[in-house]
């Protein structure tokens, strides 16, 4: 596979805020780090600020350990069981009185106590190591006292105040708010949840933005990219769950998703659900489409029937009728080409075959493995239909 990023350059990372979805960013960073991408600095909002500190410390094992074992009670001072029951609406057998008591306590305290989050930062963010890393760290927050957005620079923060710098950016509105350094702050998402402009203003020319689509103001939409600056994105193509869904199993799954989505960027992989190394132009995939009609038969048999498929002759029925109808069925954009169509069909069938999605396939390999699984399945369907007759 050919790597698409320029590995001779140093990069800046932009980490969006999004609470529990932040595990995705650690997975993406792990892939970038494995491939040798050099990170010069990070700009983060909310959970992106917290992850930014871990990334600048360059400790993937610690970051994976934190996220892989995350829970509600490690972030907030809450009754873990009550919160899980409330979130999952598992009312059968639930302690309703405990749930109501927990809700009442949060209201009385004027927000959720985040003492566990403060402890997590204190025990895991090594300020001396962070400052000695040689990497720049910027965080954004909304200053409630000054009524304006602020950007904090690690190099300008007083000794011993890095924890406050991170907390200021992560003060989600539902959290109980306390003064930090004499001021009150709110989550950076309320001001600038995708602080791409922070790195642009500081002269970064190669930037990777890791999106998690959290709550907040998306200033990237209004950011003008200067000529000569390259901005790349790693972004999920499926839901990462709720922003307050602090669950270790979901976090581990999101880290894996982030890891492979970063590989998609690095190698220019195709596919929406799967990760496919698919070089070659449209004529190549048109030829594959026509030479692998067994794939189309599985897709189209229900619509045309086996006899209808056998009667098709030449290219025209496919190019004029079948392929456009199939593209529409698979939800392809109006400007689809035969490479898009071939890979979409392949992904559809790979999903039916329940092929493992978390690995990188060549187009040929994905086809072979899909057919190895689908042929026995299709044979069983035929036998079942014969028995019913």
């Amino acid at each position: 596979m050919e790597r698409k990023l320029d590995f001779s350059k140093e990069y800046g990372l932009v980490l969006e805020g999004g609470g529990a979805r932040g595990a995705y960013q650690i997975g993406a960073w792990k892939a970038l780090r494995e491939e040798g991408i050099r990170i010069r600095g990070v700009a983060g909002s909310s959970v992106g600020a917290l992850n930014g500190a871990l990334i600048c410390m360059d400790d993937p094992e610690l970051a994976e350990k934190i996220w892989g074992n995350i829970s509600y009670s490690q972030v907030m001072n809450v009754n873990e069981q009550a919160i899980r029951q409330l979130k999952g609406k598992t009312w059968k057998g639930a302690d309703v009185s405990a749930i109501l008591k927990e809700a009442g306590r949060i209201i009385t305290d004027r927000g959720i106590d985040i003492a566990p989050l403060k402890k997590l930062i204190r025990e895991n963010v090594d300020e001396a190591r962070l400052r000695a890393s040689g990497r720049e760290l910027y965080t954004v927050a909304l200053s409630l006292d000054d009524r304006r957005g602020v950007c904090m620079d690690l190099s300008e923060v007083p000794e011993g105040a890095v924890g406050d710098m991170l907390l200021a950016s992560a003060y989600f509105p539902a959290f109980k708010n306390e003064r930090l350094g004499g001021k009150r702050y709110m989550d950076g998402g309320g001001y600038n949840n995708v602080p791409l402009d922070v790195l642009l203003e500081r002269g970064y020319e190669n930037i990777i933005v890791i999106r998690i689509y959290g709550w907040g103001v998306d200033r990237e939409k209004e950011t003008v990219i200067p000529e000569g600056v390259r901005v790349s994105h790693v972004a999920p193509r499926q839901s990462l769950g709720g922003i307050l869904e602090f669950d270790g199993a979901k976090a581990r799954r999101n880290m894996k998703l982030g890891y492979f989505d970063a590989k998609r960027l690095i190698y220019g992989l195709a596919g929406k659900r799967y990760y496919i190394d698919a070089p070659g132009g449209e004529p190549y995939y048109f030829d594959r489409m026509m030479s692998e009609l067994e794939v189309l038969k599985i897709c189209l048999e229900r619509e045309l029937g086996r006899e209808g498929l056998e009667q098709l002759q030449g290219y025209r029925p496919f190019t004029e009728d079948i392929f456009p109808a199939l593209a529409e069925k698979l939800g392809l954009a109006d400007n689809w080409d035969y490479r898009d169509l071939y890979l979409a069909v392949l992904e559809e069938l790979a999903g039916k075959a329940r092929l493992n999605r978390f690995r990188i396939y060549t187009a040929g390999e994905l086809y072979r493995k899909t057919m190895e699984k689908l042929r026995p399945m299709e044979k069983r369907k035929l036998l079942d239909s014969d028995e019913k007759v």
Side-chain angles (χ1 to χ4, degrees):
M1 293 186 295
E2 180 184 351
R3 297 196 289 195
K4 304 300 182 181
L5 293 181
D6 187 343
F7 280 68
S8 69
K9 307 291 187 182
E10 287 188 320
Y11 286 79
L13 280 185
V14 176
L15 303 178
E16 181 179 6
R21 299 173 187 173
Y24 178 89
Q25 295 170 341
I26 297 302
W29 167 57
K30 179 182 178 183
L32 295 171
R33 186 178 183 275
E34 280 183 0
E35 295 290 343
I37 291 290
R38 292 175 294 149
I39 305 300
R40 182 178 132 210
V42 180
S45 177
S46 193
V47 74
L50 303 176
N51 280 337
L54 296 173
I55 289 170
C56 287
M57 285 168 54
D58 196 33
D59 194 337
E61 290 79 15
L62 175 62
E64 286 187 86
K65 180 180 177 183
I66 290 171
W67 279 106
N69 296 285
I70 201 73
S71 65
Y72 293 98
S73 58
Q74 286 184 310
V75 178
M76 306 171 281
N77 185 14
V78 295
N79 181 319
E80 182 92 24
Q81 183 178 2
I83 292 295
R84 287 187 179 279
Q85 289 176 334
L86 183 62
K87 171 195 162 292
K89 299 178 182 179
T90 53
W91 298 104
K92 186 176 180 180
D95 187 344
V96 177
S97 63
I99 293 173
L100 294 176
K101 182 179 179 181
E102 187 66 16
R105 183 179 66 79
I106 291 170
I107 294 170
T108 302
D109 290 346
R110 297 183 178 181
I112 302 171
D113 179 14
I114 55 170
L117 176 59
K118 295 176 185 178
K119 181 182 178 184
L120 192 70
I121 293 173
R122 186 172 61 251
E123 293 180 348
N124 292 285
V125 176
D126 186 331
E127 182 169 335
R129 184 176 175 184
L130 186 56
R131 291 183 184 276
S133 70
R135 298 180 180 88
E136 298 174 338
L137 176 62
Y138 305 98
T139 68
V140 296
L142 183 61
S143 173
L144 298 180
D145 294 332
D146 301 326
R147 297 183 180 181
R148 65 182 180 88
V150 294
C151 176
M152 303 180 210
D153 181 343
L154 171 67
S155 66
E156 298 174 357
V157 173
E159 293 287 338
V162 167
D164 287 352
M165 171 188 178
L166 301 178
L167 275 172
S169 187
Y171 255 129
F172 190 70
F175 293 162
K176 183 178 180 180
N177 197 283
E178 298 175 354
R179 290 190 178 276
L180 299 169
K183 291 188 175 184
R184 290 190 186 276
Y185 296 92
M186 195 174 78
D187 192 284
Y191 162 60
N192 186 358
N193 207 36
V194 190
L196 171 61
D197 57 321
V198 170
L199 294 188
L200 291 175
E201 289 169 4
R202 287 156 179 81
Y204 281 74
E205 296 182 346
N206 295 278
I207 300 171
I208 298 172
V209 182
I210 304 180
R211 299 297 308 257
I212 52 177
Y213 303 115
W215 165 90
V217 178
D218 185 353
R219 293 194 182 277
E220 184 182 12
K221 296 176 181 178
E222 59 194 49
T223 301
V224 177
I225 308 300
E227 187 176 349
V229 172
R230 180 177 180 180
V231 178
S232 305
H233 291 78
V234 178
R237 301 183 179 186
Q238 64 186 79
S239 172
L240 299 178
I243 59 176
L244 293 179
E245 195 172 357
F246 293 102
D247 176 82
K250 178 149 284 186
R252 291 190 293 274
R253 171 260 197 185
N254 284 345
M255 281 193 283
K256 184 179 290 187
L257 191 62
Y259 178 89
F260 279 94
D261 282 350
K263 293 281 190 180
R264 188 193 301 281
L265 168 67
I266 293 165
Y267 290 106
L269 301 176
K272 292 184 177 180
R273 179 173 174 80
Y274 286 84
Y275 302 89
I276 311 170
D277 179 26
E282 186 176 15
Y284 171 77
Y285 290 97
F286 178 80
D287 288 344
R288 290 202 68 150
M289 183 79 75
M290 297 307 300
S291 64
E292 295 169 3
L293 284 178
E294 189 171 2
V295 172
L296 288 178
K297 287 178 182 178
I298 296 172
C299 271
L300 298 173
E301 189 169 345
R302 185 174 297 175
E303 285 79 4
L304 298 177
R306 268 176 276 168
E307 291 183 3
L309 278 171
E310 295 299 330
Q311 293 173 4
L312 292 174
Q313 299 292 328
Y315 285 177
R316 287 187 63 181
F318 290 95
T319 58
E320 295 180 3
D321 299 314
I322 292 176
F323 288 161
L326 191 54
E328 183 177 359
K329 176 184 175 183
L330 294 172
L332 297 186
D334 291 340
N335 62 342
W336 62 271
D337 62 23
Y338 289 114
R339 178 178 182 270
D340 298 330
L341 182 60
Y342 178 82
L343 295 175
V345 169
L346 201 49
E347 283 197 281
E348 177 78 8
L349 297 180
K352 289 182 178 180
R354 298 183 181 179
L355 235 58
N356 174 27
R357 60 177 298 211
F358 289 118
R359 57 163 294 181
I360 298 173
Y361 297 90
T362 64
E365 182 183 20
L366 188 59
Y367 169 76
R368 288 192 300 274
K369 289 186 176 296
T370 297
M371 297 313 296
E372 284 170 6
K373 284 201 169 186
L374 283 182
R375 283 186 184 113
M377 291 169 61
E378 291 303 309
K379 187 175 181 181
R380 283 197 297 273
K381 285 182 183 178
L382 289 173
L383 289 173
D384 289 345
S385 63
D386 289 342
E387 287 175 4
K388 288 176 183 177
V389 173

